[in-house]
Amino acid sequence: MNKKTILAVDVGTGMVKVFAGKLQADGTVDILGSGTAPTAGYEKGVITDVNALTHSIRQAVDCVIMAVDEQMTDCVYLGISGSTLVTQNSIGSVAVTTPETITPQDIERACKAATFEIEQDKYEILHVFAARNSLAKTGEAVEVEAHIVAVPKDILGEISHALKESGLTLNCIIAGDIMAAETIKKELPGKPENFIFMDIGAGTTDFVMYVGGNPCFSASLPLGGDYITNDLMQGLTVNRAHAEEIKRYYSRLSSDLRNQGVVLDCNDYGTTDKHVSYDFLYDIIESRVDEIVGLVYDYIKPRLSQYVTENGQTLERIYLTGGSGAMPSMASRIANVFQINTEMVKPVHLPVEYAQPANTVCYGIIDYGARVLASEPVVGKSAWDVLIRKAKKLLKIC
Ligand SMILES: Nc1ncnc2c1ncn2[C@@H]1O[C@H](COP(=O)(O)OP(=O)(O)OP(=O)(O)O)[C@@H](O)[C@H]1O
Ligand SMILES: [Mg+2]
């Protein structure tokens, strides 16, 4: 194995996406190639069939291996999201080493204490973030609210086993969206501290809320672009692939076409009768966009009060990504409903063929892999975890 190669796998509802990359001396990654395969065994953020999902992952990896002409199967960084992951905020409290002072080591110990609330025989903890901290009244103890992300151990075991059977070695599993948020955060101008990173894909809307520069809350809602595609399938009596084409065609058009009596030729191979008025498409698509944004807002609003407003903070911006986040009306609708500036983000530092909003998560995963390989400290992993990892690697049990 070339120790500097990374296979970043993003398990999405629509597609499994893979980036193959090589770590460079300056710590950056060169993308060697990418591969995709339609996802099976994973619906709206829930793994329904591990073997079918593994088959999809293997297909996407094979695409990339063919493209880069290099055997790289033992360096898989698997990013998952959705409700396969368990997220929880817990309080950990420890005595401070120096009275009235909170050191990073104190925060780390308090985070560790917070994880004791998680049933560690059932869950593998993936990431722990210090969401907020305060000194206890006496000034001798620090209390930390930690945002903890875990995966059920049985699911982790099944995935790891199934990947191994298919000839792939799982290096580690991570929360793809949170790591993408961490990567994008580093690249944002002005270093915003209070913001929401939101990834709207095919089946889920995943978001991470940052306060004071730290992830303090994350969740996944079963809402995505598939709703729009399904409505188009019914409304226009077309198959899924055709509906996807029509949706993308519509997305390229200006909404100035509304109320102009414009009729679009939406025919594909095998159809001749799909001449559809722009207004009809607008009504189907935009009513679904409204519904998705409304439901996301209803879910996030109480968390905004709890984590942002009640702490005297103001949300600066929403950073939107994901295939459905790229729809022209999505950002403006979110900005209207949330009353917060909303901006679309994508992996702008990648070569143009990869710099799509649907690739942001895969980019975050490969960036995480690069930081692990370069042995940089990785946010959401304690020094203790990194030490254990290194020891396991040395002993070749990981
Ligand atoms: N140009 C576009 N216009 C409209 N929708 C688009 C466009 N490009 C992609 N999409 C939609 O984005 C969705 C796919 O996005 P993405 O690849 O981020 O999802 P995923 O990662 O597979 O799923 P999820 O993250 O929800 O599990 C599909 O619903 C697709 O129709
Ligand atoms: Mg996705």
Side-chain angles (χ1 to χ4, degrees):
M1 167 179 78
N2 182 333
K3 288 199 176 112
K4 299 295 178 194
T5 54
I6 305 161
L7 275 179
V9 179
D10 170 25
V11 174
T13 307
M15 289 284 188
V16 172
K17 305 167 197 96
V18 178
F19 277 170
K22 195 164 261 179
L23 183 70
Q24 303 300 298
D26 63 357
T28 60
V29 195
D30 249 11
I31 305 288
L32 305 174
S34 71
T36 57
T39 306
Y42 180 78
E43 284 163 30
K44 293 184 187 166
V46 180
I47 296 177
T48 51
D49 182 339
V50 168
N51 289 324
L53 177 59
T54 304
H55 183 67
S56 299
I57 294 173
R58 181 72 228 203
Q59 276 184 314
V61 169
D62 284 344
C63 280
V64 87
I65 287 176
M66 247 180 338
V68 303
D69 197 22
E70 193 169 328
Q71 275 308 315
M72 41 194 307
T73 52
D74 45 6
C75 47
V76 174
Y77 289 77
L78 185 69
I80 54 168
S81 47
S83 35
T84 302
L85 297 179
V86 177
T87 59
Q88 184 177 314
N89 280 25
S90 302
I91 306 280
S93 179
V94 293
V96 288
T97 33
T98 316
E100 305 290 342
T101 316
I102 303 173
T103 64
Q105 290 75 18
D106 294 335
I107 303 247
E108 184 157 319
R109 286 189 301 118
C111 279
K112 192 95 195 155
T115 64
F116 293 151
E117 272 189 31
I118 306 283
E119 288 181 81
Q120 307 217 2
D121 53 332
K122 287 202 183 131
Y123 298 100
E124 179 82 21
I125 295 172
L126 304 181
H127 312 288
V128 184
F129 302 97
R132 45 188 172 186
N133 65 69
S134 59
L135 270 173
K137 276 201 183 93
T138 57
E140 288 174 359
V142 60
E143 203 172 78
V144 171
E145 179 175 341
H147 182 58
I148 302 165
V149 185
V151 62
K153 278 192 167 157
D154 52 350
I155 292 183
L156 179 60
E158 278 179 50
I159 294 178
S160 178
H161 178 73
L163 285 175
K164 202 169 188 175
E165 293 272 288
S166 80
L168 299 170
T169 307
L170 181 62
N171 205 309
C172 72
I173 191 163
I174 57 174
D177 276 284
I178 303 185
M179 288 305 124
E182 286 291 313
T183 296
I184 292 294
K185 184 180 82 166
K186 288 188 295 180
E187 298 175 358
L188 290 172
K191 305 248 175 293
E193 297 221 310
N194 303 332
F195 64 92
I196 293 175
F197 173 88
M198 192 183 289
D199 169 19
I200 310 185
T204 62
T205 294
D206 299 277
F207 73 91
V208 192
M209 190 184 291
Y210 280 79
V211 176
N214 299 316
C216 64
F217 189 80
S218 66
S220 179
L221 307 176
L223 298 164
D226 275 354
Y227 277 107
I228 302 168
T229 310
N230 290 343
D231 271 13
L232 288 174
M233 286 168 69
Q234 282 188 10
L236 304 175
T237 51
V238 292
N239 63 26
R240 176 166 293 278
H242 194 167
E244 280 286 334
E245 282 302 314
I246 294 172
K247 186 168 73 169
R248 284 162 201 249
Y249 174 34
Y250 168 87
S251 287
R252 290 196 298 273
L253 301 174
S254 159
S255 59
D256 291 348
L257 297 181
R258 202 169 167 223
N259 297 326
Q260 303 293 317
V262 173
V263 175
L264 304 168
D265 181 350
C266 294
N267 281 297
D268 198 1
Y269 297 111
T271 66
T272 51
D273 59 337
K274 303 303 170 196
H275 292 95
V276 185
S277 88
Y278 178 86
D279 292 352
F280 184 64
L281 280 187
Y282 182 97
D283 289 345
I284 295 184
I285 292 174
E286 299 307 333
S287 57
R288 271 307 195 191
V289 169
D290 275 349
E291 201 179 323
I292 292 169
V293 174
L295 289 167
V296 172
Y297 179 68
D298 288 346
Y299 184 85
I300 293 183
K301 195 176 164 211
R303 277 84 191 176
L304 273 177
S305 312
Q306 186 182 353
Y307 291 102
V308 187
T309 332
E310 280 176 18
N311 292 306
Q313 304 285 334
T314 312
L315 205 65
E316 293 159 65
R317 207 166 276 258
I318 294 174
Y319 294 100
L320 180 63
T321 199
S324 302
M327 293 188 73
S329 53
M330 200 62 93
S332 57
R333 212 59 60 87
I334 290 174
N336 264 337
V337 172
F338 282 75
Q339 288 293 297
I340 295 167
N341 284 335
T342 303
E343 189 181 312
M344 228 261 300
V345 287
K346 57 186 182 180
V348 283
H349 297 301
L350 292 186
V352 66
E353 65 267 35
Y354 306 123
Q356 312 299 329
N359 284 337
T360 306
V361 172
C362 214
Y363 173 56
I365 298 167
I366 207 157
D367 181 62
Y368 177 93
R371 282 179 286 140
V372 169
L373 282 186
S375 288
E376 268 185 37
V378 177
V379 198
K381 279 266 171 213
S382 69
W384 177 247
D385 291 330
V386 173
L387 203 68
I388 297 268
R389 236 183 91 75
K390 280 186 178 165
K392 279 182 174 175
K393 259 192 163 171
L394 276 175
L395 296 169
K396 296 199 183 336
I397 55 174
C398 173

